[in-house]
Every structure is written in C-alpha cells, then in structure tokens.
Amino acid sequence: MMMDRLTPQEIERLLEGHSSADPKLARLSDSLQAMRETYSAPVRPEVKAQHVQAMMAAFGETSSAPSPFRRPRRARLMKRAAVAVGASVLLGGSALAATGSLPAPAQDALAKAAHGVGIDLPHSTAHPTPRASSLPGPQFAAAKKAWLDCVKEKGKDACGPKPMAQDFVKPSPKASHEPGEPKSTEPSEHGVGNPHHSPTAPRATPNPGHGGSNPGNGSDNVPVRTPNANSGDSGHGNDDLKTPQPVKTPHV
Amino acid sequence: METSLRLGDNFDSVLAAARTGAEWAWERIYDALAPSLNGYLRARGAPDPDGVTGDVFAQLVRDINRFEGDEPGFRSWVFVMAHHRLLDDLRRRKRRPESVMAPEDMSDLEDPRDIEADVLDRVSNAELRALIETLTPAQRDVILLRIFGGLKVEEVARAMGRRSGAVKALQRRGLETLRVKLLESGEYPNGSENR
C-alpha cells in the first residue's frame, strides 16, 4: 500500500495532540488521542494517598539526613587522624622510654612509674652515652682556629697548648651529675653566637665584676676558658676578639 | 490538547513550597503529573505502573533541589526519570521473576471490584495495546514519551541516549507504522470510538 510520507510538520502536530483536519491523518490523530485519554486516567485516591505519604517520608529523610560530603566526612577524617597521632605518640614514646632516650626527667619519671607496675625501664643515669650536645663542636673548631691564628702571629710558645678535642667533650650531665648538685647550664646562652663573648671561649667564665649570676660555674665538667688575663678584660669579653689568648683551664 | 493539569503561573511558588516540604505543594505536583506519568507507564507496558510512579515521585522529592528551570523542563525531567525507572524495573523483573504470592498475602489485595474494573479496562484497551505492540521498543519509547510527557525531540534524544536525527527517524517510522496498521484494520480502536 503506497502512502505519502508524513511531513515533519504533520508529525509535530500529531505528537503534540492537535487534531488533524486532513482525512488521511484523522484516524491516526484520533487513535493517538485515544491512547492519551485512555491511559492517562487519574490515579486512584488510595494510591495517591499512599504515594503522597511516601513522598513526605522521603522528604523527612532527605531534610534530616546530614549532608553526605561535609561534616561527617571531615569528622571521620579528623577522628582517624587523631587516632593515628595518638597511636604514633604512644608507640614512639614507648620505644623511646624502653631505650632510655627520653629527656632525663621524663625518663626517670616513667621508669619510676613503670617500676611500680613491675616493668623495668632504664633510668636516665643508666645511659652514659655522650649526647650530641656533649660532642666537640663549634667551640672546639673556634678554639683551634684562634690557636692557629695566634701561632701564626706570635709563635707556638706564646699561644699555650694546642686545644684538643677531648678537652671539649662534655661528659653527659646525666652520668656525672650527682643528686642534689646544681645542674649545669647549657652553653647556648653564652655560646659562640654571642657577640659579647670570645669565639675562642665556648664557656667563658663570667666576669665577677660584671655582676655575674653564676660565678665560676664550678660544678660543670666542661672546659672553662677564662679570658686572657693580660688583655685588660673589661668584663664584656670584646677584647678577646682582638687578642685571642685561649688558655685552657684544667677540668674541675 | 493536554490531558493533565498544568501548574502554569503558580509553578514557581508551588516548587518553592515543595522544596520546604509543604504537603499541599507536593499534592499539586502529583496531581499535575501523576495521571500522564502513570499513563505513559501503562502504555509502555510497565508490570506495576503504580509502584514505578511511587518510586519516581519519591526520587523526585529527593532530587528536587537539583532542578532548575520552568514547568515544561520540570515535566520532561520527571518523565526522563520515569523512563529510567521503568527500564530499571523491567531489567530487575527479567533477572528476578516474581514469585507466586503466598495465600496469607492475598488479604492485602485491593478490593475485588477494582480488579474487575481493571480487567474490563484491559479488555477495552486491548486494541490500543495491539496498536502499540506493532511498534518497535525504540519507536514506542519515542512516541509515548512525546505524547504523554510532552517531551521535545532533543529531550527524548537525551533521555534515550540517541541523536536527535535518530529520534526524528524513529518517530516518523513509528507513526507511519501506526497509520498503515489503522488503514489495514479499517476500524478505530475502541478507545477512540468512544470519544
């Protein structure tokens, strides 16, 4: 059966629900309309009530549910991070305590506490291994350089004994420290970086006339270098920079 | 000619109220869309058109804040959703055929008078059904989405994942198939005779 093809305009009119006056399309147009009306019956009231109830329940769930990609995710991540940090601190701290590598007060406190529950942890004094801070470092290098400069200028005899590395090794204060004895101070306050002190004097004794608060540092087992007695030290040590005269004092 | 209500000028206010959870607004939206949506699903041969309709509206509630646009856009958005839901439902039923209903569950069935009415409806719709069955599934999707959902060619193309040209070809061939079928039968289907 040969028929004319439908034009795009005719197709649009049919699908949009316009009735056609064209007899050759009337039957098709009516059938489509029948389809629309027959199938698009109103939903039964009980079905509608059920659906609306389900919709309101779905709305309640949606509005009460927290946003899926904000706080819960962040909170979860924070919680995991906190657990990870806590576990690291616990394990790391235990390892340090077991090897006696904690700072002396913490190590002693932990050892004492652990002893109370039957665990033996080393005390801080149980490890006489020199700490990094007790190794000869910049102080020794500076003293040696000053001595060499002095030798160049004045000769070996005028500059005293050559600085030796072992003279600058500070035994661990933990090992040498007796209970009740005042602790030594760290050299950082009077170290090389201080412009008022000689680079050749890593632990210069304070000038008694300067109102020093720690005369002599007598309890320290560190090489104590006194300013050159001949330099006319004014107490600030600046003269030492001009005329380095490293004089090693014996260990206390 | 439209078979469903339109929200018209009230669309924006109804949509805004629906977003705040106003039940009256959801009822208005339901009344405007459910008949044609249900009609589309029934014409398309959904085994459980009411169930799919309920699923579509529940999803609509969940996704309402994602929608931006006017009423025709809203309508086509809902029909695209329904089309996908229907395909999901058909696939699921194909994989997992429904089991026979246990006798104790029969008490939940609807009023027998409604079942009888449904059967009568189905008999009277048989010719229309036969007419639709002459179309290929793709032609059926295009024509039914257009006549029930009022979707444009481009919207149908997007919903079906096809090009606009392909959709135009499908609708033309589908309509010509229907026209031939009607001429061959020589009679109107029952539904259109009653008009």
Side-chain angles (χ1 to χ4, degrees):
Chain A
M1 187 186 300
M2 285 296 294
M3 285 190 301
D4 297 334
R5 282 181 61 160
L6 294 168
T7 66
Q9 290 76 23
E10 287 171 336
I11 290 172
E12 285 305 305
R13 285 184 62 79
L14 286 167
L15 292 175
E16 286 174 4
H18 301 291
S19 55
S20 178
D22 186 347
K24 69 178 183 179
L25 295 178
R27 186 172 286 181
L28 180 57
S29 170
D30 289 348
S31 298
L32 292 177
Q33 191 56 36
M35 222 179 272
R36 238 184 233 112
E37 291 178 359
T38 305
Y39 286 112
S40 297
V43 179
R44 289 195 299 268
E46 65 271 16
V47 174
K48 178 187 167 184
Q50 216 174 35
H51 286 172
V52 171
Q53 195 180 354
M55 286 157 71
M56 297 318 295
F59 188 87
E61 286 169 17
T62 308
S63 57
S64 63
S67 173
F69 28 74
R70 287 202 180 175
R71 293 190 59 181
R73 185 177 169 77
R74 195 186 304 164
R76 274 202 307 274
L77 287 175
M78 291 292 286
K79 198 173 174 183
R80 284 180 193 170
V83 168
V85 167
S88 307
V89 167
L90 192 66
L91 287 174
S94 304
L96 287 173
T99 57
S101 304
L102 287 174
Q107 183 71 34
D108 288 336
L110 263 179
K112 194 175 173 184
H115 184 71
V117 292
I119 299 172
D120 281 337
L121 284 181
H123 284 269
S124 60
T125 53
H127 292 268
T129 312
R131 297 167 73 191
S133 62
S134 67
L135 295 173
Q139 292 95 342
F140 169 63
K144 191 173 177 184
K145 186 175 182 300
W147 185 80
L148 287 172
D149 290 344
C150 176
V151 167
K152 275 182 193 171
E153 286 179 14
K154 300 176 182 176
K156 200 172 183 179
D157 295 337
C159 297
K162 184 182 178 183
M164 301 300 287
Q166 61 266 26
D167 296 335
F168 287 82
V169 174
K170 185 178 75 172
S172 172
K174 289 187 287 185
S176 62
H177 202 72
E178 292 298 323
E181 196 177 356
K183 288 199 170 187
S184 64
T185 55
E186 288 297 319
S188 58
E189 290 178 11
H190 304 288
V192 180
N194 190 338
H196 294 292
H197 291 81
S198 166
T200 62
R203 292 190 64 86
T205 52
N207 186 350
H210 191 238
S213 60
N214 188 12
N217 273 341
S219 64
D220 278 349
N221 286 328
V222 290
V224 178
R225 297 197 163 264
T226 57
N228 190 345
N230 298 329
S231 66
D233 187 11
S234 64
H236 290 82
N238 286 341
D239 294 337
D240 292 347
L241 293 171
K242 296 170 190 170
T243 56
Q245 294 291 328
V247 178
K248 193 164 72 93
T249 57
H251 280 286
V252 177
Chain B
M1 188 186 299
E2 290 296 334
T3 54
S4 61
L5 300 171
R6 289 273 180 186
L7 297 169
D9 293 340
N10 297 326
F11 174 73
D12 288 336
S13 57
V14 171
L15 189 65
R19 282 177 169 149
T20 65
E23 190 169 339
W24 65 265
W26 282 113
E27 283 194 31
R28 291 282 300 277
I29 291 174
Y30 187 90
D31 290 340
L33 285 171
S36 53
L37 191 67
N38 202 260
Y40 162 73
L41 294 169
R42 289 170 66 200
R44 183 62 182 73
D48 180 15
D50 288 344
V52 178
T53 301
D55 288 348
V56 171
F57 276 98
Q59 188 180 344
L60 177 60
V61 169
R62 285 191 289 269
D63 295 349
I64 190 73
N65 287 322
R66 293 186 196 166
F67 174 76
E68 285 178 9
D70 55 6
E71 188 174 3
F74 185 72
R75 190 179 175 82
S76 77
W77 183 59
V78 175
F79 269 83
V80 169
M81 211 182 275
H83 175 67
H84 291 147
R85 279 275 174 181
L86 173 63
L87 295 183
D88 287 346
D89 187 59
L90 292 174
R91 255 184 247 127
R92 192 169 53 240
R93 285 171 188 274
K94 202 173 176 182
R95 277 199 308 267
R96 215 182 305 168
E98 283 189 348
S99 56
V100 178
M101 186 179 280
E104 58 268 23
D105 295 334
M106 300 261 184
S107 57
D108 293 338
L109 281 175
E110 294 162 354
D111 190 334
R113 284 169 299 178
D114 291 337
I115 296 174
E116 191 180 334
D118 278 350
V119 171
L120 288 175
D121 277 349
R122 284 181 194 181
V123 170
S124 66
N125 294 339
E127 287 181 44
L128 279 175
R129 165 65 50 203
L131 196 60
I132 293 168
E133 294 292 334
T134 60
L135 301 171
T136 66
Q139 290 170 353
R140 213 179 300 160
D141 278 338
V142 171
I143 291 174
L144 296 180
L145 278 173
R146 292 217 59 191
I147 67 174
F148 285 100
L151 272 65
K152 306 285 180 206
V153 170
E154 293 75 22
E155 291 167 339
V156 175
R158 216 175 304 133
M160 295 179 65
R162 291 174 183 262
R163 293 182 186 167
S164 298
V167 170
K168 283 179 186 171
L170 282 168
Q171 68 186 16
R172 183 178 55 74
R173 280 191 224 120
L175 288 177
E176 287 179 348
T177 301
L178 291 178
R179 186 160 64 140
V180 170
K181 179 77 180 169
L182 287 168
L183 283 175
E184 282 174 355
S185 68
E187 287 181 4
Y188 284 110
N190 279 345
S192 54
E193 274 180 334
N194 295 338
R195 290 189 312 117

